[in-house]
Amino acid sequence: MGSGDPGQTERGEPRDRVPAGAGASSRRVRLDLPRMPRRSLLPEYDPEAFGRFSEKIARFLGTGRFLVWMTLTIIAWVVWNIAAPAGLRFDEYPFIFLTLALSLQASYAAPLILLAQNRQDDRDRVNLEQDRKQNERSIADTEYLTREIAALRIGLGEVATRDWIRSELEDLVRELEEHRAVFPQREPDHRDEGDR
């Protein structure tokens, strides 16, 4: 009933190969199927969405609006913690909490800006590659057209132009006139007309 092939089941399906010496309890490895993705403890995210988000933040950090809002926030922070009643102050003179907040903001801003720059570098690299390919195509097209124009010029050199034909005809007319001058045309002899 079987197919006679030890690597196939009775229905002709391939059997899973188990290495020699492996027990029946060992896990079978199927090389013809993709692996199932492993579950990760880390949260999954879309790198493109995160990259776009980081670019938006980096663009905002590079604007005058951000500088104005950050300056106003720091001024309000310092004025509040100096002029407010002692019970309402939350960050006394060395402003340690303000320093910590600014350090935290800088520690997040720097990697986001670097990520945005890396994405921009990737886009620039792709654009540069496309420009290079376009330039190569333009050069190839220009060289092809140059060869075609040269071939047409060579071909036109062998073709009789209107001016060349006109000059040849003028030369022939001149030669005929010279022949007439040398050999004047004789009057036709009418004696033969009656014989016909």
Side-chain angles (χ1 to χ4, degrees), residues 4-58:
D5 185 5
Q8 291 186 346
T9 62
E10 290 183 10
R11 287 188 267 160
E13 299 169 351
R15 287 189 181 143
D16 293 335
R17 303 256 181 216
V18 178
S25 64
S26 68
R27 188 173 167 191
R28 293 183 177 186
V29 177
R30 297 276 316 249
L31 297 177
D32 59 338
L33 297 175
R35 284 180 135 179
M36 294 298 292
R38 294 184 180 177
R39 291 189 179 184
S40 175
L41 298 176
L42 299 174
E44 294 183 15
Y45 67 95
D46 180 18
E48 283 299 311
F50 185 73
R52 287 190 298 271
F53 177 70
S54 68
E55 285 179 340
K56 286 180 184 177
I57 291 175

Side-chain angles (χ1 to χ4, degrees), residues 34-187:
R35 284 180 135 179
M36 294 298 292
R38 294 184 180 177
R39 291 189 179 184
S40 175
L41 298 176
L42 299 174
E44 294 183 15
Y45 67 95
D46 180 18
E48 283 299 311
F50 185 73
R52 287 190 298 271
F53 177 70
S54 68
E55 285 179 340
K56 286 180 184 177
I57 291 175
R59 279 192 205 105
F60 177 68
L61 291 177
T63 61
R65 183 188 303 173
F66 170 74
L67 291 175
V68 168
W69 280 109
M70 189 172 78
T71 303
L72 292 175
T73 303
I74 292 172
I75 290 171
W77 186 294
V78 170
V79 168
W80 178 265
N81 286 300
I82 290 175
L88 295 176
R89 294 180 194 165
F90 56 90
D91 192 19
E92 292 294 327
Y93 164 64
F95 305 119
I96 295 173
F97 188 47
L98 176 63
T99 305
L100 178 66
L102 290 175
S103 297
L104 182 66
Q105 180 261 332
S107 68
Y108 273 99
L112 288 174
I113 291 170
L114 288 174
L115 179 61
Q117 285 178 344
N118 288 341
R119 286 174 55 86
Q120 185 62 42
D121 288 343
D122 292 342
R123 278 194 299 270
D124 290 345
R125 192 176 304 114
V126 168
N127 288 339
L128 185 65
E129 183 66 22
Q130 289 176 346
D131 288 346
R132 187 183 64 76
K133 287 180 181 177
Q134 180 65 37
N135 287 341
E136 286 177 357
R137 282 193 298 266
S138 297
I139 289 171
D141 290 345
T142 304
E143 289 174 353
Y144 172 75
L145 290 174
T146 304
R147 286 192 301 270
E148 288 297 312
I149 289 172
L152 286 174
R153 284 185 177 168
I154 291 171
L156 281 177
E158 297 170 0
V159 172
T161 61
R162 183 186 306 159
D163 293 336
W164 181 79
I165 292 172
R166 183 176 293 137
S167 68
E168 289 295 315
L169 288 175
E170 287 174 356
D171 290 343
L172 286 174
V173 168
R174 204 173 304 117
E175 283 181 27
L176 285 174
E177 289 175 355
E178 288 174 3
H179 280 334
R180 277 190 197 162
V182 173
F183 304 109
Q185 196 172 24
R186 291 186 281 165
E187 295 280 331

